[in-house]
Amino acid sequence: MPIISKLKCFKTDKTEPVVLPACIAQNQEYSARHLGDMRHALAAHLHGSAFCVVVTGSFGRHEASDQSDLDYFLIGREADRNLAPYADVGDILGAMVAKKPAVGGPFSAYVPAEELVNRIGLDGDTNSITTRRLLFLLECEWLYNEPAKRAFFDELIANYVTENVTRESIARFLVNDVIRYYRTISVDFEIKTREGRAKAWAPRRLKLVFSRKMLYFGGIIAAAETAGFDYVGKRAKLSELLQLPPITRLQTVFGDRSLAALELYDHFLSRLNDPEIRQRLEKIDQNDRNHPELRKLLDDGKQFSRELISLLNHRYSADHPIHEALLM
């Protein structure tokens, strides 16, 4: 197991702060430093309040390293699209990271708030829109204009929790959308694998097993924590928890019980942080699933799932609505 860092983090309901595993602590420090640099650079060159710039991915999760790319996008109203300095943002941020978003992907784009906030479900909710919305909600940090980011964020939460949601229920609309997103990316990965279009197959498979699972679980527990609140309290609880990075959210809800899961996650991060190990993994394809180095990490992923299930069952009694919501 990884060596535990002496770096302390936030307070939980325990009297002592939770201690972070070493690689997680290192990545959080790296993320905070670079997020600060990007915010400073954008603030020095950009003006106006009609849009904001946000980042998701490993920087949004506070898990970034020098192996990370930068998944950012701009958000504003459709009517203000022409006011957003799209090219300037790309030039500024492109000079600050080695890896840039894929051309034609869901990032480095201007995203109308009307699309991000209101287009949930039905035919208009494409894979790209769903991806942006759920990542904005579950693993997002602001880079420019925090008040606008917060306004769009709370507008989206209000769409998930309407005034007719009862105190006894949870934010079930959100649970359903989180489940749908996680299952969609799992299905899409399977199809891409079958068609031979999945590049760097092994690292992508591991991210599905760890990063995406952490993202999914972080959304589920945020919704579970809304039980017993009226719709105003539910919105406030979601806003409080979902603005935390997923690891921090896990620790906030479960305290030091989360450590066993975090140690497994830390080991995964440490493997992908190592350039030599990452290069070896990138050469492994779907026809070599039993490669010893990959197999060990995939087995850790199964144990990671067991630890998360244990946390869920320990905190939420059998009659808690989250269990029914996950099954029915």
Side-chain angles (χ1 to χ4, degrees):
M1 287 296 179
I3 298 172
I4 301 300
S5 166
K6 298 297 183 181
L7 178 70
K8 304 289 185 180
C9 63
F10 55 88
K11 294 279 185 177
T12 66
D13 56 354
K14 307 292 184 182
T15 56
E16 293 295 324
V18 176
V19 181
L20 285 168
C23 187
I24 291 176
Q26 174 184 318
N27 284 21
Q28 288 188 350
E29 289 178 342
Y30 180 96
S31 300
R33 184 169 65 255
H34 284 267
L35 286 170
D37 290 344
M38 287 185 279
R39 288 168 177 166
H40 179 77
L42 290 176
H45 292 89
L46 303 184
H47 305 282
S49 58
F51 69 97
C52 65
V53 183
V54 300
V55 64
T56 61
S58 55
F59 278 100
R61 296 191 303 272
H62 287 234
E63 298 172 12
S65 71
D66 56 8
Q67 301 295 309
S68 299
D69 52 12
L70 188 67
D71 297 334
Y72 72 90
F73 50 92
L74 290 72
I75 307 171
R77 302 294 176 187
E78 179 61 50
D80 296 325
R81 180 187 289 269
N82 293 334
L83 300 178
Y86 172 83
D88 291 343
V89 172
D91 290 343
I92 293 167
L93 295 180
M96 303 184 76
V97 294
K99 296 185 177 182
K100 300 174 179 59
V103 176
F107 305 110
S108 69
Y110 185 88
V111 181
E114 296 90 342
E115 175 184 290
L116 188 72
V117 171
N118 297 318
R119 198 176 296 177
I120 305 177
L122 302 179
D123 291 343
D125 191 5
T126 64
N127 271 12
S128 291
I129 292 172
T130 300
T131 297
R132 290 166 179 156
R133 181 177 67 252
L134 271 297
L135 297 187
F136 174 67
L137 194 69
L138 300 177
E139 59 164 39
C140 182
E141 273 289 359
W142 68 277
L143 295 180
Y144 175 78
N145 195 359
E146 182 182 14
K149 183 265 181 182
R150 178 63 182 268
F152 295 137
F153 191 83
D154 287 342
E155 189 177 341
L156 177 56
I157 287 175
N159 202 0
Y160 280 113
V161 182
T162 59
E163 295 181 9
N164 61 357
V165 176
T166 65
R167 183 180 293 272
E168 294 74 24
S169 67
I170 57 174
R172 189 153 183 165
F173 186 19
L174 172 61
V175 172
N176 289 337
D177 209 23
V178 170
I179 292 172
R180 182 175 70 131
Y181 173 62
Y182 182 64
R183 296 308 181 191
T184 296
I185 59 177
S186 299
V187 169
D188 287 352
F189 180 83
E190 175 68 20
I191 294 302
K192 288 179 180 179
T193 297
R194 290 183 182 181
E195 296 176 354
R197 294 189 288 114
K199 297 179 180 179
W201 178 84
R204 289 176 182 270
R205 179 75 176 87
L206 291 170
K207 288 177 182 179
L208 194 62
V209 168
F210 284 97
S211 302
R212 294 302 171 215
K213 196 179 296 177
M214 176 71 86
L215 188 75
Y216 165 76
F217 191 72
I220 294 303
I221 62 173
E225 291 294 307
T226 66
F229 294 96
D230 63 11
Y231 80 92
V232 175
K234 282 177 167 56
R235 290 176 180 178
K237 177 57 69 174
L238 287 177
S239 184
E240 170 196 339
L241 288 175
L242 291 176
Q243 290 191 84
L244 301 173
I247 286 174
T248 307
R249 198 178 311 146
L250 194 75
Q251 291 178 295
T252 299
V253 173
F254 298 107
D256 56 11
R257 283 186 174 274
S258 64
L259 189 55
L262 290 179
E263 286 177 337
L264 290 163
Y265 197 78
D266 184 85
H267 182 66
F268 152 72
L269 289 178
S270 71
R271 301 300 90 184
L272 290 195
N273 278 4
D274 187 312
E276 292 185 3
I277 294 176
R278 192 179 186 114
Q279 286 178 9
R280 289 201 301 270
L281 289 171
E282 287 177 350
K283 295 177 181 178
I284 301 173
D285 64 23
Q286 58 267 37
N287 297 315
D288 196 13
R289 297 168 188 257
N290 290 318
H291 185 284
E293 196 162 26
L294 174 63
R295 187 72 260 162
K296 172 61 171 64
L297 286 166
L298 290 176
D299 289 344
D300 283 352
K302 292 180 180 179
Q303 183 60 31
F304 182 57
S305 294
R306 297 186 193 102
E307 296 294 344
L308 296 182
I309 293 169
S310 176
L311 290 173
L312 190 79
N313 289 332
H314 179 269
R315 182 165 180 84
Y316 307 112
S317 61
D319 60 351
H320 192 284
I322 189 59
H323 299 293
E324 181 187 2
L326 289 171
L327 291 174
M328 303 293 182

